[in-house]
Amino acid sequence: MKMMKHELMVTALTMVVRIVALAADTCNDIHTCGDIEIPYPFGIYNNNPDCFSRRKLMPLSCSNSKIYAGNNLQVLDINISKSQIELWFYVSKYCGIGKDSNTTLTSNFCTISSKDNKFLTVGNNSFGYLTSYTDEGISYSTGCLTRSFGDPRDIDNGKCTGIGCCQVDIPPRMTNISIQAFSFDRSSQSCSYSFVVKNGNYTFSSTHLSQGLPEKLPVIFDWTIGKGNCTSAKNNGVDYGCKNNSKCDDKDVDFGYRCECNPGYEGNPYHPIGCTDIDECENDTHECKTKANCKNAYGSHTCFCPRGSYGDGTLKGGCQQNSRVQKIVLGGVVGATLFLLFAGTFSCLIYHKRKFNKLKEKLFEQNGGLFLRQKLSAKEYSSSQSTQIFKHDELKKATKNFDQSLIIGRGSFGTVFKGFLDDKRIVAIKKSNQINKSQIQQFIDEVVVLSQINHRNVVKLLGCCLETKVPLLVYEFVSNGTLSNFIHREREVNNETWKIRLKIAAEVARALSYLHWDVTIPIIHSDVKSANVLLDGTNTAKVSDFGASKLVPLDQTQVATMVQGTLGYLDPEYMQTSQLTDKSDVYSFGVVLVELLTGEKPFCFGGPENSRSLAMHFLSCLKKDNVFEVIQDGMLNKENEQEIKEVSVLAAKCLRLRGEERPSMKEVAMELEGMRLMDKQSWIKDDINIEESKYLLCKGQRGNGSTY
């Protein structure tokens, strides 16, 4: 079989429509060809060169009641409103070397419709390309492939899924196209087919692989008129193609423009007469109650009511007789309806308000409100410093209904909002995640005890709200962020910074010592970390977040609890035994000291294995006599070298594995206060050397010789 090429060079497919406003047009004598109407500005090219050159239309010819574009592309339809033309277009195929048939189409003002067509390749081991070329020599392609290595019976008839048949969407604005079909097996005798086809006009069948496809299939092309856009065409005057009551559209096109009728008009926007008004009243496309209530207007219509009645005359509103009795009756009905509506709404509001108040009372009782009132009425809690019971409406107003923009912190135990009370106080309102109903009494006991804490380095609990599913806690507001932010966001580090850090360490130690030793019932914080230390405007430290705290009865030194806390700060002994003691807080405070010294975070997932735990890495450096290497850059100098060494050794004491070998928080607080004031004798002598540091570290060795 000799090579065949359908070189469909429709070079005159340039739809630059120069429409002249003439009542008669000799180039438009033939309006139909067979059963197909040829709409203006298209016409039949009847060997009249002057006619065709003036109109510059696609050359259409009529033969045997069929319209053809160019040489031999049969026209199936011309759609003026969509600016589209439907043609029979050739299928490209490849049946071995020298047995191929490729399809090309040259058209500067006609593109393949990307919405109404698909590009397909059919074959056993086939692939195909659809390529577009511009006048500037730029090209781009799309395509697909299909390979079948298994049983041909696996091919699914009726579906183009990639086995035997593949399909892709067509990119927009493809013009001057070339379609090529290929086979992976060049010597194969089976054929490969590539083609563009109108959506819904091709159904794949396995028989096509052996029996072939039709020579041509329908394809939709988009066309435009003119060379410039809407603005340049309007400025060109006589050549402007959009006539009366129409508008120009040049969106999503690379060249030319389209015309369409204005809303309320119909017809051919290219015809010299232009678009004509739609009489909605006559063709029943109006919105009026009846045709008699409709009045046509240019481009629209109006609805009205006849004299003696009122209304808008539409299907929805209609018309009513205008009589005094009807007005009175209507007024009475409307009045009664409004009264009943108002009464029903008022009753509904009262009902829901009572229901909501009962719900708040129920929640107040469930959350231990009565028990809390009983506690607060006791003589020992009758001072002005006792807990305040807040109303839910009061806190809702203070936080603008718990607006997300007022969130100042999130944690494992809840979310903290900034609130503004009516008495001008700024507070922090903690909305807990959950509470165990079986521990309500314990929760109330803790609230009462925490409210009695009055220490300048502990965030003050002002009160609570028990009218919600989960109780709300109200604390004093501390303005300057967390210690964690202070450490890890600080850029310039110097001796003054070290003095502030030493002051903060002493204040945190003093607060924890107070909680362990000076309150009526000792409190173990159990989640000591830099993020739970707040700073006010003068960088005064305030310990916060008692969500995990435990009250320790006076006859007990430890509390059995499920392990909870923050990775990097957790006491190793607590993790092994689940026994929470005051020495657990000492270990966590030791990590905070190391954080203050190094400026590093307590745990680094991405670091080397031997330095992921800041505490273990710090102890290792201290033991090797190179602890100064891990001190934060810019903080160490001759003035504070001795203090930093002393704090490093104190941190090592706090980080001993065995809790009983750690100092108490009272001892730690005294040690730090002595360093600050320089007028108290320190446990650690000024002439401390590294050998003594090693002794302190090795004192905590286990029986098997391992150190920490």
Side-chain angles (χ1 to χ4, degrees):
M1 179 179 181
K2 294 183 178 182
M3 183 174 108
M4 296 175 58
K5 289 183 176 290
H6 297 292
E7 299 290 346
L8 309 176
M9 306 298 294
V10 189
T11 56
L13 194 59
T14 58
M15 302 179 183
V16 184
V17 184
R18 301 180 60 188
I19 306 174
V20 292
L22 299 175
D25 191 342
T26 59
C27 297
N28 199 37
D29 294 335
I30 302 177
H31 297 279
T32 60
C33 179
D35 296 330
I36 301 177
E37 181 181 353
I38 304 174
Y40 194 94
F42 293 95
I44 297 298
Y45 176 54
N46 54 357
N47 297 319
N48 186 344
D50 178 66
C51 174
F52 180 72
S53 63
R54 178 164 61 83
R55 291 280 296 275
K56 292 187 179 179
L57 296 174
M58 177 194 305
L60 301 181
S61 60
C62 182
S63 176
N64 297 324
S65 298
K66 294 181 181 179
I67 303 175
Y68 292 92
N71 297 327
N72 53 359
L73 293 180
Q74 184 182 346
V75 177
L76 299 177
D77 183 45
I78 300 174
N79 190 314
I80 291 295
S81 62
K82 294 184 178 180
S83 296
Q84 291 181 333
I85 184 169
E86 183 177 347
L87 306 173
W88 282 110
F89 202 63
Y90 286 95
V91 174
S92 294
K93 65 180 179 178
Y94 177 89
C95 299
I97 299 175
K99 301 177 181 178
D100 60 341
S101 173
N102 298 330
T103 303
T104 61
L105 173 62
T106 300
S107 168
N108 292 327
F109 298 98
C110 188
T111 61
I112 298 178
S113 173
S114 60
K115 297 179 180 179
D116 298 293
N117 302 295
K118 286 287 189 296
F119 177 76
L120 290 86
T121 294
V122 174
N124 285 317
N125 295 285
S126 307
F127 62 99
Y129 296 115
L130 171 62
T131 305
S132 176
Y133 302 90
T134 66
D135 292 339
E136 293 78 15
I138 302 173
S139 65
Y140 61 97
S141 301
T142 187
C144 67
L145 62 87
T146 169
R147 303 202 72 173
S148 177
F149 298 101
D151 190 336
R153 290 176 296 180
D154 291 338
I155 295 175
D156 194 359
N157 284 325
K159 297 180 181 179
C160 191
T161 58
I163 303 177
C165 175
C166 65
Q167 67 177 5
V168 293
D169 291 336
I170 297 175
R173 300 185 291 277
M174 291 196 80
T175 187
N176 297 330
I177 62 169
S178 172
I179 302 175
Q180 294 173 288
F182 298 96
S183 174
F184 288 101
D185 184 2
R186 301 295 296 275
S187 62
S188 174
Q189 296 301 313
S190 61
C191 293
S192 303
Y193 304 90
S194 293
F195 53 93
V196 176
V197 64
K198 177 182 175 182
N199 292 338
N201 279 257
Y202 173 74
T203 302
F204 171 68
S205 172
S206 59
T207 59
H208 296 166
L209 301 177
S210 58
Q211 299 177 11
L213 274 76
E215 183 182 12
K216 291 179 286 187
L217 290 168
V219 178
I220 299 291
F221 290 88
D222 295 325
W223 54 269
T224 57
I225 65 172
K227 289 184 178 180
N229 57 19
C230 290
T231 302
S232 62
K234 289 177 182 177
N235 294 335
N236 199 22
V238 68
D239 288 333
Y240 181 51
C242 300
K243 300 307 177 183
N244 296 330
N245 304 316
S246 67
K247 59 183 178 179
C248 185
D249 176 23
D250 55 11
K251 298 188 297 293
D252 302 323
V253 295
D254 283 339
F255 46 80
Y257 58 93
R258 305 183 182 97
C259 301
E260 59 183 49
C261 291
N262 291 330
Y265 292 87
E266 63 184 354
N268 188 333
Y270 303 99
H271 197 277
I273 298 176
C275 299
T276 58
D277 174 60
I278 299 174
D279 190 340
E280 293 88 355
C281 301
E282 290 295 331
N283 61 18
D284 289 334
T285 58
H286 57 79
E287 298 176 351
C288 305
K289 184 177 180 181
T290 65
K291 181 179 177 180
N293 299 103
C294 181
K295 182 179 181 180
N296 188 53
Y298 287 109
S300 63
H301 68 284
T302 57
C303 301
F304 67 94
C305 288
R307 183 176 297 179
S309 61
Y310 63 92
D312 58 15
T314 63
L315 283 171
K316 186 177 180 180
C319 300
Q320 290 81 36
Q321 292 299 318
N322 188 8
S323 66
R324 183 178 179 183
V325 175
Q326 287 177 327
K327 288 183 178 180
I328 295 174
V329 172
L330 179 62
V333 171
V334 171
T337 302
L338 291 175
F339 175 77
L340 292 175
L341 181 63
F342 174 78
T345 303
F346 184 72
S347 301
C348 185
L349 289 174
I350 293 177
Y351 169 77
H352 283 291
K353 185 174 181 180
R354 288 178 178 175
K355 184 178 180 180
F356 184 65
N357 288 337
K358 287 183 179 180
L359 176 62
K360 290 196 293 186
E361 291 176 3
K362 182 179 179 181
L363 292 172
F364 182 82
E365 294 179 7
Q366 288 179 351
N367 290 328
L370 299 179
F371 182 67
L372 178 61
R373 281 180 179 170
Q374 182 181 355
K375 283 279 188 180
L376 296 179
S377 63
K379 184 176 181 180
E380 60 269 25
Y381 298 122
S382 60
S383 69
S384 60
Q385 298 295 326
S386 62
T387 303
Q388 179 180 350
I389 299 178
F390 290 90
K391 294 289 186 180
H392 178 256
D393 292 341
E394 184 179 2
L395 300 186
K396 186 177 179 181
K397 179 182 177 182
T399 59
K400 297 181 181 179
N401 196 20
F402 298 96
D403 193 316
Q404 297 290 310
S405 64
L406 293 178
I407 293 178
I408 56 176
R410 295 181 188 271
S412 58
F413 294 97
T415 304
V416 182
F417 294 83
K418 185 177 182 180
F420 302 87
L421 299 179
D422 289 339
D423 59 8
K424 307 302 181 183
R425 283 186 297 170
I426 302 177
V427 295
I429 301 171
K430 182 173 182 179
K431 196 173 186 179
S432 301
N433 292 334
Q434 59 183 358
I435 184 171
N436 192 332
K437 298 300 181 181
S438 63
Q439 298 177 337
I440 288 295
Q441 183 169 343
Q442 180 184 355
F443 166 77
I444 296 300
D445 286 336
E446 293 184 16
V447 168
V448 172
V449 172
L450 291 175
S451 67
Q452 303 303 308
I453 296 176
N454 189 16
H455 192 279
R456 70 188 303 267
N457 298 122
V458 178
V459 175
K460 176 66 177 175
L461 177 66
L462 302 178
C464 63
C465 173
L466 304 177
E467 294 179 344
T468 55
K469 290 183 179 180
V470 177
L472 305 175
L473 299 176
V474 182
Y475 293 92
E476 67 169 313
F477 177 74
V478 184
S479 62
N480 213 20
T482 67
L483 176 58
S484 177
N485 290 339
F486 176 83
I487 295 173
H488 301 298
R489 294 183 183 175
E490 194 171 6
R491 295 182 178 179
E492 297 183 3
V493 181
N494 49 42
N495 187 46
E496 291 300 318
T497 303
W498 166 248
K499 290 180 181 179
I500 294 174
R501 294 190 183 195
L502 183 60
K503 177 183 84 76
I504 292 172
E507 290 172 345
V508 175
R510 189 189 309 151
L512 294 175
S513 173
Y514 170 80
L515 295 175
H516 289 181
W517 295 91
D518 297 332
V519 296
T520 306
I521 302 177
I523 300 173
I524 300 173
H525 190 285
S526 81
D527 196 17
V528 176
K529 56 183 178 182
S530 58
N532 283 342
V533 176
L534 303 180
L535 302 177
D536 66 8
T538 61
N539 285 326
T540 298
K542 291 181 178 289
V543 177
S544 70
D545 201 344
F546 292 85
S549 299
K550 301 295 178 183
L551 302 179
V552 182
L554 295 177
D555 58 345
Q556 293 184 20
T557 59
Q558 58 187 17
V559 177
T561 182
M562 183 175 66
V563 174
Q564 55 187 351
T566 304
L567 186 63
Y569 295 93
L570 276 172
D571 173 15
E573 188 175 61
Y574 167 46
M575 293 175 65
Q576 292 178 357
T577 64
S578 298
Q579 298 295 321
L580 187 66
T581 70
D582 59 344
K583 296 300 180 69
S584 301
D585 283 352
V586 174
Y587 182 90
S588 300
F589 178 76
V591 178
V592 175
L593 280 181
V594 176
E595 211 174 341
L596 287 164
L597 288 164
T598 65
E600 300 292 336
K601 294 188 177 181
F603 197 87
C604 179
F605 288 98
E609 187 173 356
N610 60 353
S611 61
R612 289 180 184 175
S613 170
L614 177 61
M616 294 301 101
H617 181 57
F618 175 82
L619 292 175
S620 175
C621 292
L622 183 62
K623 184 178 179 182
K624 295 176 182 177
D625 195 16
N626 59 356
V627 69
F628 289 151
E629 294 183 8
V630 295
I631 301 302
Q632 187 168 354
D633 292 340
M635 191 161 62
L636 179 67
N637 54 45
K638 290 184 179 180
E639 295 181 18
N640 60 28
E641 180 177 342
Q642 185 62 31
E643 275 184 348
I644 288 178
K645 186 184 294 185
E646 292 174 358
V647 173
S648 298
V649 175
L650 178 60
K653 288 182 177 183
C654 295
L655 295 174
R656 287 172 176 160
L657 290 181
R658 292 170 59 86
E660 61 186 21
E661 295 176 358
R662 303 169 196 157
S664 67
M665 281 310 308
K666 181 179 287 188
E667 293 170 329
V668 174
M670 292 175 61
E671 182 84 16
L672 291 171
E673 197 64 34
M675 294 179 195
R676 281 196 63 213
L677 301 178
M678 300 296 291
D679 59 358
K680 293 183 180 181
Q681 183 177 1
S682 173
W683 301 340
I684 309 171
K685 305 300 181 183
D686 291 342
D687 58 350
I688 188 168
N689 54 43
I690 198 62
E691 294 299 325
E692 188 172 353
S693 300
K694 292 180 180 179
Y695 169 75
L696 290 170
L697 288 170
C698 296
K699 184 178 178 182
Q701 285 187 328
R702 299 183 181 274
N704 59 7
S706 61
T707 62
Y708 53 88

